[in-house]
Amino acid sequence: MKTIGFIVNPIAGMGGRVGLKGTDGMVEEAVFLGALPLSGQKAARALDAFKRLEKTADVGLSFLTPPGGMGELIVRSAGFHPYIVEANSSFKATTFKATTFKATTSKATAPSTAAIDTIASAKHMMNKGADLILFAGGDGTARDICNAVCDKIPVIGIPAGVKIHSPVFAQTPEKAGELASQYLEGKGLRCVEREVLDIDEEAYRKGQVKTQLYGYLKIPDEQGRLQSRKAGTPLSETASQNLIALSIIDEMQEDIIYLIGPGSTTRPILENLSLPFSLLGVDIICNKKILCKDARERDIIRFVQNKAFKIIITPIGGQGFLFGRGNHQISPQLIHKAGKENIIVAATLQKIGSLKGTPFLVDSGDLKTDRGLSGYIRVTTGYRQEMVYPIQ
Amino acid sequence: MERINRDSKVRKNFHQAKWDEPIIFQLSTPGERGIQVPLAEQEIQDIVGNGFDSLPLKMKRDIPPALPEISQHRVLRHYMRLSQQTLGADVNIEIGQGTCTVKYSPKINDQLAKLPGITALHPLQPEQSVQGMLEIFHRTDGFLREISGLDRFTFQPGGGSQGIFTMASIVHKYFESRNQKIQRNQKIQRNEIITTIYSHPSDSAAPAVKGYKIIHIGPDKDGYPDFEAFKTAVNERTAGFFVANPEDTGVYNPRIREFTQLVHDHGGLCGYDQANANGLLGVTRAKEAGFDMCFFNLHKTFSTPHGCGGPACGATGVTKALEKYMPGPFINKADDGFGFDDQNSPESIGKVRSFYGVAPVVLKAYAWIMSMGAQGLYEVAKIAVLNNNYMFKKLMELECVDAPYIKGRQRVEQVRYTIEKLTRDTGITSGDIQLRMMDFGMHYWTSHHPYHIAEPMTLEPTETPSKADIDEYIATLKHVFKEAYENPDIIKTAPHQSVCHKVDSSPSDDPDQWAITWRSYLKKTAVKVN
């Protein structure tokens, strides 16, 4: 028996149709402007894969889902009988019922659900032994899921929000369901960690994009699902990250200080050295020993004063930001001091492929520093393997 | 009789032969015999002994090998059934194996290779007794020199990757010898090989085996290798540049001479991956593009069948200056006939494979080249390009198909398409389409991993399919695309008409599970065979 956690953020995506660039704190305005809740419809499309799974693979399935439009209605409509987990008490399931996934009314009643409902539901599901959580929403919802489960169980995002910057979402709702059912069927899919990103909606509405890295979620690796008669099994993301780490470690020089930026690509460097690490922070090492974990800018300045140092970073998946997203501790002054030749960029070829040829971006906060980095940079993509990639 | 309109014909009733044939070891019945080998006559025994005493003691087994015990007829059925369970080039319209150049290989050439005068040859025979075969090696070398513009070929590499490895070994030896003779004190090591992301992955893998660091260059907006990136990559550490042209996208880089010149300016060597030269025969040559080395897969362009992964030949050629580094022996023509030049150059990289190449493969390539003639080879290239661009035009008319780069321009012999729109619309991936196409008896290939083009589809018609063949393949593709929109379930659950359903390939990535021999399989699964 496999247990699926199924959460729908019923307000996700409502702001987009009426030009609000997101729905955070804007539900009432969105409803006033005529927005309809559509995330339930998208979530329902993901459930088709499970009907097929039950029929063809003979896998027993049980669903854990919050009440009403946060999941229950959709799961029941698909013909399954879910166990209901409690969301936060503020969630008004009954109010939402009429508006969620039929979405036929011309003017919807504002569904009332909040981050706390998503977080509470996800936590319940994890505690009740869900094998995987499938959630419908956008970047905001992904943040909430990340808050609740971190990387403890696999999740897959059904794209239903306005902002889909985090690479934790499948390409389509159908693909999300398919990926989940393949994983539950035990097809040996490996999991990879992917960034949870979100932008500051308030700033975005004013035309500024400020993306932040909020953490990592564990998702089944789609690449592993693909069969190819000629290419063999592709190297897993984790294996690729380890090869990158070993290559960087082998080329480390004595007495040089290394600032290791956040990310699941850079973390294996510290893991392979058996050193402690901070997933979202900057760690400082020298001679393969840790000098400072989760360093602030002032710590970094103290350690690198009058010393040669190199910066090891990885771009944000799907976006390509090298600086200015999740690694603000490495200030423009530090970047300038290190020099472009002492910046080691690490990324798997899968990650490079996710950028679809668009150059790396830099938003260090200092235009001169950003311009100084433009051109090309070598990226470590495997063991003694590099790629020359453009920076905008 | 009514003529079948093949531009709309879809073989919906296709079903692949399925025998559910077990592993041959599972068929073993103790005591059953395929053949009773008679004892040698006393007269022979008196001359050669019993055949065992001359073997070293350590080579003699204490117990017989655990080979399957089966009658001849059952063995015949076993292999006949397995042969029917393949979706080989003689069964399907072989258009979907892009980059592989699977063309129709005339059967008469197979018959030639099966002649007793060929099958009974042994590489240790005296030269005088194999003059015909040596001449064929020698003449085929001459053909490839003419086709490439380079000066000497070896047939030793047993495939494309080994051809690349040979080129990497030559590069290594070249710099080793220069360092010893000219730049003994040179501190900077020539330790980098540059290649492109759309060249074959073996252009990275084989030099990596030789110890080189691999530097990849991505495409620019038109799909050509990014020359600006290339300029920043080439430096005093550059040992070589290995590249395919056209790359897997089917885009030919017209500035290739600038690339090779830049590498030469920095002292490096250039190797041309011509594994697939089908669109280039008689059109462009390695020499004029500035390459020092190249290799051809005889089992692709030169019509020697792949034979399920072998035998093969990655014939590798070099310029005069690099000849001394080649693996020997060479076959030379003298007044008294053809003979081996057994004196390996002291600077040779040594052998990359035993003896001097797979003779039947070279024979088939020779026969094919002879039957085509110079004009015929050029015709091959023209028709391969024409077929590809006919198919390209037809497929680009479909809304769900696109091909990144050089919009509105033609491709060479193959195209890497994308069906990303179809995936967005339906959730059906290119990998799903691959499995569904098997239900109609057709191959279809996506791409090497990782995908640099989303939801890729790589097709290469070659010169051999007729227009009707191409139309039938397109009609089948259209049918499957239509299914994706109207009945995606049938694709998600495919294949339905094939030998086996979806294969779980995950054990092949797990050392605790993978097994490449029966004995290893038994150990890892503890399966008991009755």
Side-chain angles (χ1 to χ4, degrees):
Chain A
M1 177 67 75
K2 297 290 180 186
T3 306
I4 306 153
F6 185 75
I7 303 176
V8 178
N9 175 1
I11 63 167
M14 288 178 70
R17 290 286 179 96
V18 291
L20 288 179
K21 299 183 174 69
T23 322
D24 294 355
M26 303 295 286
V27 181
E28 287 186 11
E29 188 172 342
V31 170
F32 177 77
L33 290 170
L36 296 172
L38 296 169
S39 58
Q41 282 179 317
K42 289 184 176 167
R45 283 160 56 191
L47 293 182
D48 287 347
F50 298 109
K51 293 181 206 166
R52 194 162 42 240
L53 181 65
E54 273 201 324
K55 223 183 291 173
T56 56
D58 200 24
V59 175
L61 296 176
S62 76
F63 279 86
L64 292 171
T65 188
M70 276 193 75
E72 180 190 1
L73 288 173
I74 300 148
V75 175
R76 286 196 193 285
S77 293
F80 296 102
H81 303 286
Y83 295 96
I84 307 302
V85 295
E86 287 305 313
N88 191 49
S89 55
S90 68
F91 177 64
K92 298 170 188 169
T94 48
T95 315
F96 193 75
K97 187 172 177 180
T99 63
T100 320
F101 97 102
K102 285 187 180 173
T104 52
T105 52
S106 58
K107 201 83 167 177
T109 309
S112 173
T113 177
I116 198 166
D117 299 312
T118 305
I119 294 169
S121 303
K123 277 185 177 166
H124 281 310
M125 289 169 185
M126 186 171 63
N127 295 336
K128 286 180 185 295
D131 293 294
L132 173 140
I133 292 178
L134 196 59
F135 70 94
D139 288 331
T141 319
R143 274 172 63 183
D144 299 335
I145 299 286
C146 187
N147 278 337
V149 304
C150 301
D151 58 354
K152 292 191 180 72
I153 59 171
V155 306
I156 298 170
I158 302 167
V162 181
K163 300 164 293 161
I164 307 283
H165 297 98
S166 308
V168 300
F169 293 94
Q171 227 174 346
T172 63
E174 289 82 2
K175 216 169 164 183
E178 192 61 37
L179 200 56
S181 70
Q182 292 258 348
Y183 177 78
L184 295 172
E185 202 181 339
K187 286 287 187 186
L189 289 195
R190 300 160 292 214
C191 285
V192 292
E193 285 178 355
R194 290 276 182 259
E195 297 96 337
V196 175
L197 310 165
D198 199 5
I199 60 169
D200 180 338
E201 286 186 14
E202 198 53 46
Y204 189 41
R205 289 183 192 107
K206 291 173 187 163
Q208 300 168 310
V209 180
K210 289 185 181 172
T211 313
Q212 289 294 328
L213 174 66
Y214 284 93
Y216 292 85
L217 282 169
K218 199 162 75 169
I219 64 164
D221 184 10
E222 190 181 16
Q223 287 284 336
R225 184 168 70 91
L226 299 169
Q227 295 187 32
S228 180
R229 293 291 169 277
K230 213 169 85 168
T233 313
L235 200 61
S236 74
E237 181 100 347
T238 311
S240 301
Q241 288 167 346
N242 266 317
L243 290 173
I244 290 169
L246 293 174
S247 191
I248 290 173
I249 290 169
D250 277 3
E251 294 195 4
M252 278 183 172
Q253 296 165 269
E254 271 184 35
D255 300 328
I256 300 284
I257 289 175
Y258 291 89
L259 313 180
I260 302 180
S264 54
T265 310
T266 50
R267 189 177 56 191
I269 298 169
L270 293 151
E271 284 177 329
N272 277 289
L273 290 171
S274 302
L275 297 176
F277 56 84
S278 58
L279 186 60
L280 293 175
V282 174
D283 303 317
I284 307 175
I285 67 168
C286 184
N287 295 328
K288 299 177 182 173
K289 292 191 175 116
I290 191 99
L291 297 183
C292 181
K293 196 180 133 199
D294 202 4
R296 294 163 297 176
E297 187 194 358
R298 74 171 82 151
D299 300 322
I300 300 172
I301 291 170
R302 184 162 53 89
F303 278 108
V304 303
Q305 211 159 27
N306 303 321
K307 296 220 175 112
F309 68 100
K310 291 176 187 275
I311 300 169
I312 304 174
I313 48 166
T314 185
I316 297 280
Q319 293 195 338
F321 276 100
L322 293 179
F323 290 106
R325 300 290 183 271
N327 56 9
H328 293 93
Q329 305 92 318
I330 306 171
S331 62
Q333 291 74 19
L334 282 164
I335 298 168
H336 186 72
K337 193 176 173 196
K340 192 174 175 181
E341 67 280 8
N342 286 313
I343 296 171
I344 299 168
V345 180
T348 62
L349 282 174
Q350 292 95 316
K351 197 174 203 180
I352 297 275
S354 76
L355 301 178
K356 297 188 173 178
T358 57
F360 289 143
L361 303 168
V362 178
D363 182 18
S364 69
D366 175 58
L367 208 55
K368 200 174 160 198
T369 303
D370 297 353
R371 282 187 186 144
L373 292 178
S374 69
Y376 290 88
I377 196 160
R378 286 191 175 205
V379 185
T380 303
T381 56
Y383 188 77
R384 290 177 57 75
Q385 180 179 290
E386 295 177 351
M387 182 171 181
V388 180
Y389 203 79
I391 303 177
Q392 199 171 56
Chain B
M1 190 180 288
E2 192 185 346
R3 184 182 162 275
I4 295 170
N5 191 2
R6 291 177 66 193
D7 61 5
S8 57
K9 168 73 181 173
V10 177
R11 294 177 191 277
K12 293 179 184 169
N13 291 325
F14 171 85
H15 198 300
Q16 200 174 349
K18 179 173 180 175
W19 290 98
D20 205 13
E21 187 67 5
I23 300 282
I24 198 164
F25 286 92
Q26 295 173 290
L27 294 167
S28 181
T29 306
E32 198 169 299
R33 287 286 173 272
I35 188 166
Q36 293 284 3
V37 181
L39 280 176
E41 285 120 4
Q42 191 58 49
E43 190 187 345
I44 294 171
Q45 286 193 39
D46 289 345
I47 298 170
V48 299
N50 61 15
F52 293 104
D53 290 346
S54 57
L55 291 175
L57 193 61
K58 284 182 179 173
M59 286 184 69
K60 292 179 184 171
R61 285 174 168 274
D62 294 329
I63 50 169
L67 296 173
E69 299 171 76
I70 314 173
S71 71
Q72 273 194 36
H73 196 185
R74 187 63 187 91
V75 172
L76 177 69
R77 284 203 303 273
H78 177 73
Y79 287 107
M80 184 59 78
R81 288 172 181 179
L82 291 186
S83 74
Q84 291 175 348
Q85 290 193 162
T86 63
L87 196 55
D90 292 342
V91 179
N92 83 108
I93 298 173
E94 194 61 274
I95 281 176
Q97 286 274 32
T99 77
C100 259
T101 320
V102 186
K103 58 176 71 177
Y104 171 68
S105 297
K107 297 302 170 200
I108 192 169
N109 296 341
D110 282 337
Q111 294 301 316
L112 291 176
K114 283 181 190 166
L115 290 173
I118 301 296
T119 55
L121 290 179
H122 192 282
L124 292 177
Q125 270 180 250
E127 292 164 20
Q128 282 313 312
S129 68
V130 288
Q131 283 295 299
M133 193 65 232
L134 294 184
E135 184 174 358
I136 286 170
F137 271 100
H138 185 74
R139 288 172 63 96
T140 311
D141 175 15
F143 293 155
L144 298 184
R145 292 184 202 187
E146 188 62 35
I147 290 166
S148 65
L150 300 187
D151 298 311
R152 193 88 197 217
F153 274 79
T154 172
F155 298 100
Q156 218 173 77
S161 296
Q162 212 171 26
I164 300 166
F165 181 76
T166 304
M167 294 200 303
S169 300
I170 289 170
V171 170
H172 191 263
K173 202 75 185 176
Y174 171 79
F175 284 109
E176 191 179 77
S177 107
R178 284 167 66 88
N179 285 339
Q180 282 166 1
K181 290 179 181 169
I182 303 166
Q183 302 169 6
R184 189 179 293 276
N185 297 322
Q186 186 176 326
K187 284 181 182 170
I188 293 170
Q189 283 190 325
R190 294 276 182 176
N191 61 358
E192 294 182 353
I193 295 277
I194 303 172
T195 185
T196 64
I197 214 80
Y198 287 133
S199 287
H200 193 279
S202 289
D203 289 310
S204 308
V209 170
K210 196 67 195 171
Y212 285 105
K213 179 186 267 192
I214 306 303
I215 314 299
H216 285 121
I217 303 297
D220 65 16
K221 64 181 172 44
D222 290 323
Y224 305 122
D226 186 337
F227 192 55
E228 294 307 311
F230 188 70
K231 284 199 282 193
T232 70
V234 180
N235 56 35
E236 69 278 12
R237 294 191 303 276
T238 305
F241 170 50
F242 290 1
V243 70
N245 189 26
E247 297 176 280
D248 285 358
T249 49
V251 175
Y252 185 85
N253 174 12
R255 296 176 69 184
I256 190 66
R257 181 83 206 190
E258 292 176 61
F259 282 70
T260 54
Q261 186 60 51
L262 188 64
V263 174
H264 287 152
D265 290 346
H266 285 79
L269 295 174
C270 299
Y272 195 170
D273 177 343
Q274 293 204 277
N276 176 355
N278 219 38
L280 304 175
L281 294 172
V283 182
T284 66
R285 304 200 306 175
K287 181 185 180 182
E288 281 72 29
F291 286 95
D292 308 288
M293 301 168 284
C294 80
F295 75 94
F296 297 109
N297 279 0
L298 300 188
H299 51 284
K300 290 187 176 176
T301 307
F302 295 95
S303 184
T304 73
H306 282 59
C308 292
C313 179
T316 304
V318 296
T319 56
K320 190 80 188 162
L322 298 178
E323 207 176 289
K324 58 187 171 186
Y325 304 112
M326 291 276 267
F330 288 123
I331 297 163
N332 291 321
K333 187 181 180 185
D335 292 342
D336 56 346
F338 295 91
F340 292 118
D341 166 14
D342 273 333
Q343 298 301 312
N344 253 354
S345 156
E347 291 172 287
S348 163
I349 60 169
K351 286 184 181 300
V352 292
R353 199 170 193 271
S354 56
F355 302 112
Y356 36 85
V358 184
V361 172
V362 177
L363 171 73
K364 286 184 226 180
Y366 173 79
W368 186 76
I369 294 169
M370 286 295 285
S371 68
M372 301 305 290
Q375 194 56 38
L377 294 181
Y378 181 49
E379 201 73 5
V380 163
K382 284 202 296 185
I383 298 173
V385 174
L386 178 68
N387 278 352
N388 182 47
N389 284 287
Y390 169 73
M391 187 166 194
F392 181 43
K393 183 173 186 309
K394 287 279 180 189
L395 289 176
M396 290 296 280
E397 287 168 5
L398 304 181
E399 206 184 325
C400 62
V401 176
D402 197 5
Y405 311 126
I406 54 166
K407 295 290 178 194
R409 305 250 320 263
Q410 294 186 344
R411 305 298 169 103
V412 185
E413 86 297 5
Q414 65 189 21
V415 182
R416 180 155 295 159
Y417 301 89
T418 174
I419 57 162
E420 191 178 16
K421 182 178 184 315
L422 180 129
T423 305
R424 265 202 315 272
D425 292 347
T426 66
I428 297 291
T429 64
S430 190
D432 297 328
I433 300 287
Q434 180 179 37
L435 297 176
R436 181 58 176 156
M437 285 295 280
M438 289 163 65
D439 282 339
F440 302 97
M442 307 274 190
H443 270 154
Y444 171 105
W445 189 55
T446 52
S447 157
H448 305 286
H449 287 279
Y451 292 165
H452 294 286
I453 289 175
E455 301 305 334
M457 164 174 89
T458 313
L459 308 178
E460 181 191 5
T462 78
E463 74 281 10
T464 56
S466 64
K467 178 176 174 296
D469 284 340
I470 298 172
D471 286 340
E472 186 177 335
Y473 192 90
I474 293 170
T476 310
L477 259 185
K478 277 183 183 173
H479 175 79
V480 174
F481 291 157
K482 192 162 176 272
E483 282 183 335
Y485 283 94
E486 294 174 357
N487 184 12
D489 269 5
I490 201 163
I491 298 182
K492 283 287 177 195
T493 51
H496 306 280
Q497 311 281 70
S498 190
V499 174
C500 50
H501 199 55
K502 290 187 184 181
V503 179
D504 178 9
S505 59
S506 55
S508 65
D509 203 26
D510 178 1
D512 291 333
Q513 292 188 69
W514 69 42
I516 54 169
T517 65
W518 178 245
R519 187 189 291 184
S520 154
Y521 176 74
L522 290 180
K523 276 184 188 167
K524 291 185 178 179
T525 59
V527 170
K528 302 291 177 200
V529 183
N530 295 320

